[in-house]
Amino acid sequence: MSINSFKMRLDVERQNKLEPKRIEFAKKEIEKLGYIVKQMGNTKLQFEYNGSAVYFFPYSGWHSGKTIQDGRGLENLLKQIK
């Protein structure tokens, strides 16, 4: 097995099925807190928090940004931006 094989998700079909639902749910939850959320491609959301961009990847739950603590999970992100 080549190294490139490890870069692909194990279950692409599952990701393709779940990702749109997770993106929509996460976008609504973040918008409920008053943020303007942009969808970046098919896998990432972006919004501004304390003057800096925050990125959230709904399928994996990963969030990152200059003004938040990087981590995983939508609930953990929402706690930080309330």
Side-chain angles (χ1 to χ4, degrees), residues 2 5 9-10 13 15 18-19 24-25 30-31 34-37 45 52 55 58-59 69 72-75 79 81:
S2 71
S5 298
R9 295 230 181 253
L10 294 177
E13 285 181 33
Q15 179 179 354
L18 293 177
E19 197 160 39
E24 190 59 35
F25 179 76
I30 296 167
E31 287 175 340
Y35 299 98
I36 297 170
V37 180
L45 298 176
S52 294
Y55 300 95
Y59 185 75
Q69 183 175 3
R72 290 188 86 147
L74 178 59
E75 289 300 318
K79 286 179 193 175
I81 63 172

Side-chain angles (χ1 to χ4, degrees), residues 20 23-24 27 37-46:
I23 286 173
E24 190 59 35
K27 185 175 180 183
V37 180
K38 298 178 193 172
Q39 185 169 337
M40 312 293 286
N42 295 326
T43 61
K44 176 172 51 173
L45 298 176
Q46 176 194 354

